[in-house]
Amino acid sequence: MPTTPDLPALVANVARGERHAALLATPTDPPTEVPAFALRGARPGPTLLVTAGVHGAEYASIEAAYRLAALDPTDLSGTLVVLPIVNRTAYRVRAIYGNPIDGKNLNRQFPGDPAGTFAPRLAHWLTDAWVRHADAYLDLHGGDLNEALTPFVLHARGDEGARALAEAFGIPYVIASSSAGHSYSGAATLGVPAVLAEAGGQGLFPERDVLVLVEGACRAMRHLGMLAGEPTPRPIVSIERFVVLTSDHEGRWYPRVRLDARVEEGDVLGEIRDLLGAVVQSVTAPVAGTVLYYVSTLAIDRGDPLVGIGAGAASD
Ligand SMILES: [Zn+2]
């Protein structure tokens, strides 16, 4: 039978230099079982929590979490805890953004609500039983099944520990975010430095994208003193504003953007045609910046995101 321990209870069963794997029952309605791995290093050190699968179809990040769970515990100082598929019902049905129980986006629910529906309760369990007990937290994401994305990391604006962790991750685009409800913003309310790192998308998990996240997490672990070797600083592009354009219509979406490309204010980024063929929305860049992601499916609905632009870098 699966059990419902918290982070300290899971780790308490693991000897130094050993790994423990378990299925955990979530205190949700309905309950789900999610995989968990605890790696206790040969030497003492901080406790790092890594999650993936908050969005169930972001496969490069889920695969990266499994790679991290397969590290040799004897190489570690401290404890690495990995929950690679926290939103298992979403994973099972390949849900985009939401989940099949209450339809809510888990990454808008943090720090969660124990009296809420499925997603807020899951967020509360992750916050209270796991994030709270960690010294640092990495939440791995990517473009969803319908999104093409160039790698970037997000952290809570004004959180110096999280900023240092984000820069250590070594993905060039680092975004300071003021948004509430996200995994990293929930962690910030507990004083746990946290980063949300994104790579991959479109339902794929090429080795290139998996390694962006695995190697970034390893650099973060060097920064935390959990892996041997000096942290090697990498160039950072600091993004001050993340501007997400959305659709005003249901219809067909024709993106005309390239990932990681520079756009100027007023540039046409694509158009939407309605179901009878008329052009109903010409999408232009409201700011200069860099295309960090775009929706790559023909199908689009009213309110859907279209393009994410990172703005406010020194070059803008
Ligand atoms: Zn995501």
Side-chain angles (χ1 to χ4, degrees):
M1 278 291 289
T3 54
T4 310
D6 58 10
L7 188 153
L10 183 75
V11 170
N13 295 322
V14 190
R16 280 199 196 284
E18 298 288 329
R19 177 198 345 268
H20 176 64
L23 279 176
L24 310 178
T26 60
T28 50
D29 182 18
T32 64
E33 292 176 14
V34 299
F37 299 85
L39 286 71
R40 268 197 87 193
R43 295 160 297 280
T47 296
L48 173 66
L49 174 67
V50 175
T51 59
V54 164
H55 294 133
E58 296 175 353
Y59 301 123
S61 55
I62 291 169
E63 175 61 17
Y66 273 102
R67 302 277 183 95
L68 294 168
L71 289 173
D72 184 344
T74 63
D75 289 340
L76 296 177
S77 299
T79 302
L80 173 63
V81 174
V82 183
L83 306 178
I85 310 176
V86 297
N87 201 346
R88 184 164 161 202
T89 60
Y91 177 79
R92 187 183 295 136
V93 302
R94 305 180 184 88
I96 296 171
Y97 305 141
N99 72 83
I101 310 299
D102 65 6
K104 293 180 180 172
N105 185 337
L106 178 58
N107 203 33
R108 300 293 181 272
Q109 310 303 324
F110 290 92
D113 178 0
T117 58
F118 182 80
R121 279 173 73 166
L122 188 56
H124 178 263
W125 177 69
L126 289 166
T127 301
D128 205 50
W130 301 88
V131 176
R132 178 185 300 283
H133 302 287
D135 297 307
Y137 173 34
L138 305 178
D139 186 26
L140 305 183
H141 284 248
D144 218 317
L145 204 65
N146 57 328
E147 293 171 342
L149 176 144
T150 195
F152 59 87
V153 296
L154 294 149
H155 68 86
R157 183 180 293 276
D159 184 330
E160 291 305 317
R163 177 70 185 190
L165 193 63
E167 293 190 2
F169 207 93
I171 290 177
Y173 296 116
V174 176
I175 305 170
S177 167
S178 302
S179 300
H182 298 257
S183 55
Y184 55 88
S185 42
T189 64
L190 300 174
V192 177
V195 162
L196 189 157
E198 306 231 18
Q202 298 175 303
L204 305 173
F205 53 106
E207 192 68 8
R208 179 193 67 229
D209 293 328
V210 174
L211 289 181
V212 164
L213 295 172
V214 171
E215 291 172 358
C218 287
R219 281 192 291 271
M221 282 193 278
R222 274 185 210 101
H223 165 76
L224 294 167
M226 297 178 67
L227 273 178
E230 284 300 304
T232 47
R234 290 161 64 100
I236 295 299
V237 179
S238 192
I239 300 288
E240 289 304 311
R241 274 201 300 153
F242 196 9
V243 179
V244 177
L245 309 178
T246 57
S247 172
D248 297 332
H249 304 272
E250 179 191 356
R252 292 174 291 152
W253 160 234
Y254 293 86
R256 284 193 211 136
V257 289
R258 283 181 300 110
L259 287 177
D260 204 12
R262 166 107 193 149
V263 295
E264 303 298 336
E265 184 178 342
D267 283 357
V268 175
L269 307 180
E271 67 182 26
I272 295 169
R273 300 182 192 186
D274 72 12
L275 299 177
L276 295 178
V279 175
V280 287
Q281 187 176 352
S282 178
V283 179
T284 56
V287 290
T290 303
V291 176
L292 297 182
Y293 82 89
Y294 66 92
V295 166
S296 56
T297 56
L298 183 69
I300 207 75
D301 200 359
R302 187 189 303 268
D304 280 351
L306 298 169
V307 180
I309 299 172
S315 58
D316 293 337

